[in-house]
Amino acid sequence: MKVIIKLFGILIIFAGISLLVKSEIIVGCIENNMLSTWLYIAAILVRLALGIMFLVVAKESLYPGVIRIFAYLFILAAIILFFIGHSNFQDLIGSIILLVNPYAPFVGLLAIIFGIFLVYVFSRKKKLE
């Protein structure tokens, strides 16, 4: 599972680079698909899966407390998305795109930092205590 999280980190790095270089790729993809049910279901399932994976492998990371916090945030986000429903999800995505689009390069930089952090904390061996 550590490999999956590291691959997720690398994917986040590439998404961040894409937001820095040409944000229309990611933003346009989300805008074009925000009415589809698959995006809503994927948003829930991916967050839930990541949350569970982060909880399972947190103890193997350099910063297990931080990873557990991210795990709980992912799971909480999945639960919230489930309960707000598909139509409110569409409204949420539409408003987030409007707010984030002007700051896409900054969001891309944050994504790159988060991706590097994930790769780092799951690539290093934890020191024996």
Side-chain angles (χ1 to χ4, degrees), residues 2-105:
K2 284 172 53 173
V3 172
I4 294 171
I5 294 176
K6 286 195 277 189
L7 289 173
F8 174 69
I10 292 168
L11 179 66
I12 293 294
I13 292 169
F14 284 126
I17 291 169
S18 174
L19 284 170
L20 278 173
V21 176
K22 192 168 184 180
S23 64
E24 303 86 38
I25 295 171
I26 292 178
V27 174
C29 180
I30 293 171
E31 283 178 327
N32 292 336
N33 294 297
M34 74 181 193
L35 298 178
S36 65
T37 305
W38 73 264
L39 183 64
Y40 172 65
I41 293 170
I44 294 170
L45 293 178
V46 167
R47 282 168 179 76
L48 189 60
L50 284 170
I52 292 168
M53 276 193 284
F54 274 44
L55 278 178
V56 169
V57 298
K59 63 184 171 287
E60 299 175 37
S61 74
L62 278 176
Y63 303 107
V66 174
I67 298 301
R68 278 191 203 94
I69 290 170
F70 282 122
Y72 293 131
L73 289 173
F74 281 132
I75 293 169
L76 179 63
I79 292 168
I80 290 170
L81 289 178
F82 177 77
F83 282 110
I84 67 169
H86 187 235
S87 63
N88 287 331
F89 172 75
Q90 292 169 346
D91 295 339
L92 177 67
I93 293 297
S95 61
I96 286 175
I97 286 175
L98 290 175
L99 290 171
V100 172
N101 204 18
Y103 306 103

Side-chain angles (χ1 to χ4, degrees), residues 12 16 19-20 103-117:
I12 293 294
L19 284 170
L20 278 173
Y103 306 103
F106 177 71
V107 173
L109 184 60
L110 291 177
I112 292 168
I113 292 168
F114 181 63
I116 290 170
F117 172 76

